[in-house]
Amino acid sequence: HVQLVESGGGSVQAGGSLRLSCVLSGRPYKDSCVGWFRQAPGKDREWVALIHPGDGNTYYADSVLGRLTISEDDATNTVYLEIDSLKPEDTATYVCAAAPVGCAVVAGAQFSKLFFGTWGQGTQVTVS
């Protein structure tokens, strides 16, 4: 049974930083593409960053390029998302998800969310 548990959200002032964590359990960590998505009220869920722990390759959405850093810790099966220079428009529920394919496959399919079958419960980020 695959599980994803996020933490690290909170309320911050514009210009600040946050680091979100996602712990993955229940499947071979390095065989997954792990992604961070966010959903603001009234908007569709959008992907912001992907990482493939197996090879370390990362992908970022153009809308967040330069302000987000995705990384992973093999020892704890944890994927992190650091968000710098936070803006009010970053306010959203941030959710991590895992796909049983490489991130290159996801990228080749225009970053379709359909690959991601397991989702966490989300962590709220509020920027004021």
Side-chain angles (χ1 to χ4, degrees), residues 65-115:
L65 196 61
R67 295 194 301 116
L68 269 63
T69 304
I70 190 169
S71 60
E72 53 94 12
D73 182 343
D74 289 349
T76 61
N77 284 10
T78 302
V79 172
Y80 299 100
L81 183 71
E82 181 162 346
I83 315 172
D84 298 319
S85 301
L86 280 157
K87 306 175 182 180
E89 50 264 43
D90 292 320
T91 295
T93 299
Y94 285 73
V95 187
C96 68
V101 296
C103 289
V105 174
V106 177
Q110 300 181 350
F111 303 99
S112 171
K113 294 188 289 289
L114 295 177
F115 286 102

Side-chain angles (χ1 to χ4, degrees), residues 55-69:
D55 56 26
N57 285 338
T58 59
Y59 303 80
Y60 295 95
D62 289 342
S63 60
V64 298
L65 196 61
R67 295 194 301 116
L68 269 63
T69 304

